[in-house]
Amino acid sequence: MRLLSRHPIYIGQPRYGWRIANLRHVSSKVPPNQHTSIVRDGLSYHWDTSPPSHDQLQFAERFFRTGSPKIIDSAIKFRTVKDTTMPEVAFLGRSNVGKSTMLNALMDRKICRVSSQPGRTRTMNFFAVGGDDHVGNPGRLVLLDMPGYGKGSREEWGKEIMKYLAGRKQKLTSVRLRRAFLLINGQHGVKLADEEILYLFRKHGIAHQVILPKVDRILFPKHKVSVEHMEKNLPALDAICTDVKAKIQPGKADGPEALGEIVCCSAETTLGGQRLGIDKLRWAVLAATGLGDVRRKILSSEITFEKPSHLDTNLSTPMSAPKHL
């Protein structure tokens, strides 16, 4: 089937197919699923949000290429982190999930240290991006690269991660953590440690969204990068994202669930002159912080409810780390 329409296609509806930005037409079929209605737009999946427009993607690209990213802080302990007035998003995931490489692609600079050895990121590293905000800040947005959890990490890192995320969210200043982006390896699926992090996000009301990096290993396993190979392997990616959807929105009523949007990307593989999914990731970051040119409608899954500070002032009790961090 040839698709000339630029409208997104709904998985589980009578019309099946997909489109990717900057390609005039492609062909594929997506197996129907009667239990879900996910919009696949390029390599991002939406069921709570609308896909970004071409103008929004261009705006996001310009934003991240304005000025040079600057490292503004590096800390081991939550209590030593400096305060700023810039909105902030955090990136975390299992050790060796490709977080630092993805952040380099996001910022279009090789600024994060990259290693094949798990656990090389040992501090919370803060990067200011978007150019000078004209009020004295070195950037308009802060990206936080957090130490990995799981294999190759240290137990105390898991504790500091959760202390920071919950503490930053509860600050009564203009500094607020807008969203945590959790990277999950699509080839391995949602592991137990990932599920425990997701539970802690819900428990503490931390707004969060899932990213699937290294998607090229699913779409082009041992194959040349091409539209044909992508078409052939897209059903496998559809199945993976359907499984991930069930894990990140389990319906347990134990707190706000993950945003109904999964961004699949690759920091190293390009198609049509662009890194796979990085443009969608840039927009997701701007949408989380309200820095986009057109803000998306706020949905119920994006709303978190905070306890009054006098009811929960001791972070040490609820911030126990997941057993598998």
Side-chain angles (χ1 to χ4, degrees):
M1 180 195 318
R2 289 226 179 256
L3 300 175
L4 299 177
S5 171
R6 291 185 58 82
H7 296 289
I9 304 300
Y10 289 78
I11 299 174
Q13 301 299 322
R15 297 176 64 194
Y16 308 122
W18 64 283
R19 68 177 180 85
I20 184 168
N22 297 329
L23 296 183
R24 291 185 59 191
H25 59 269
V26 292
S27 62
S28 181
K29 285 189 176 182
V30 178
N33 187 323
Q34 299 301 322
H35 303 288
T36 187
S37 180
I38 306 177
V39 181
R40 177 168 23 120
D41 181 77
L43 294 178
S44 62
Y45 292 74
H46 305 257
W47 61 98
D48 282 347
T49 64
S50 299
S53 68
H54 178 67
D55 289 343
Q56 289 170 331
L57 295 179
Q58 285 190 322
F59 177 87
E61 181 179 11
R62 290 195 302 269
F63 180 95
F64 278 92
R65 289 183 174 175
T66 299
S68 298
K70 302 177 181 66
I71 183 163
I72 58 173
D73 198 4
S74 184
I76 297 176
K77 296 292 185 180
F78 159 67
R79 64 178 178 270
T80 66
V81 174
K82 299 174 184 177
D83 221 353
T84 75
T85 58
M86 293 177 284
E88 184 179 293
V89 295
F91 293 85
L92 63 160
R94 291 176 58 82
S95 297
N96 213 28
V97 74
K99 177 166 46 63
S100 296
T101 303
M102 188 203 69
L103 283 170
N104 283 338
L106 183 67
M107 294 184 283
D108 201 29
R109 296 287 194 284
K110 292 183 178 180
I111 192 170
C112 298
R113 183 178 180 182
V114 176
S115 173
S116 59
Q117 181 181 348
R120 294 303 295 178
T121 302
R122 300 181 179 181
T123 56
M124 294 182 283
N125 299 314
F126 299 76
F127 302 93
V129 298
D132 193 334
D133 67 352
H134 306 296
V135 294
N137 288 316
R140 298 170 60 194
L141 166 67
V142 173
L143 307 180
L144 169 55
D145 183 11
M146 305 205 83
Y149 56 85
K151 181 180 179 180
S153 68
R154 299 177 183 176
E155 183 179 355
E156 61 269 25
W157 291 348
K159 295 178 181 178
E160 290 301 320
I161 287 171
M162 292 313 301
K163 282 182 182 180
Y164 180 85
L165 294 178
R168 202 69 158 179
K169 169 185 169 292
Q170 292 177 359
K171 275 186 174 292
L172 301 178
T173 69
S174 59
V175 181
R176 299 196 57 78
L177 176 72
R178 303 301 173 87
R179 187 174 298 171
F181 288 90
L182 178 63
L183 279 66
I184 292 176
N185 190 319
Q187 289 181 299
H188 301 155
V190 181
K191 296 291 188 180
L192 181 58
D194 299 322
E195 290 191 61
E196 292 180 339
I197 283 285
L198 288 164
Y199 164 72
L200 289 174
F201 283 163
R202 296 193 299 270
K203 177 181 177 182
H204 299 292
I206 298 170
H208 57 287
Q209 181 176 349
V210 165
I211 302 169
L212 266 58
K214 301 182 180 180
V215 72
D216 53 323
R217 300 186 182 184
I218 299 170
L219 297 176
F220 314 109
K222 300 180 181 180
H223 290 298
K224 180 181 178 181
V225 176
S226 68
V227 173
E228 291 73 23
H229 287 131
M230 177 180 281
E231 292 177 22
K232 179 180 178 181
N233 293 305
L234 269 171
L237 183 61
D238 293 334
I240 289 170
C241 287
T242 299
D243 291 341
V244 170
K245 175 181 182 291
K247 294 291 182 67
I248 67 177
Q249 291 189 348
K252 294 182 179 180
D254 54 358
E257 297 181 324
L259 180 68
E261 175 180 319
I262 299 173
V263 177
C264 303
C265 62
S266 170
E268 298 178 330
T269 300
T270 61
L271 185 63
Q274 292 186 337
R275 291 188 179 95
L276 297 176
I278 295 299
D279 55 347
K280 300 292 181 63
L281 178 57
R282 286 170 173 159
W283 174 255
V285 170
L286 294 188
T289 57
L291 291 173
D293 56 341
V294 179
R295 294 189 65 179
R296 290 182 293 184
K297 180 181 178 181
I298 297 177
L299 302 161
S300 58
S301 60
E302 296 179 272
I303 299 173
T304 60
F305 299 91
E306 301 179 22
K307 298 178 182 179
S309 59
H310 67 278
L311 295 181
D312 187 10
T313 57
N314 183 6
L315 291 178
S316 61
T317 302
M319 289 304 109
S320 56
K323 297 177 182 178
H324 292 265
L325 294 188

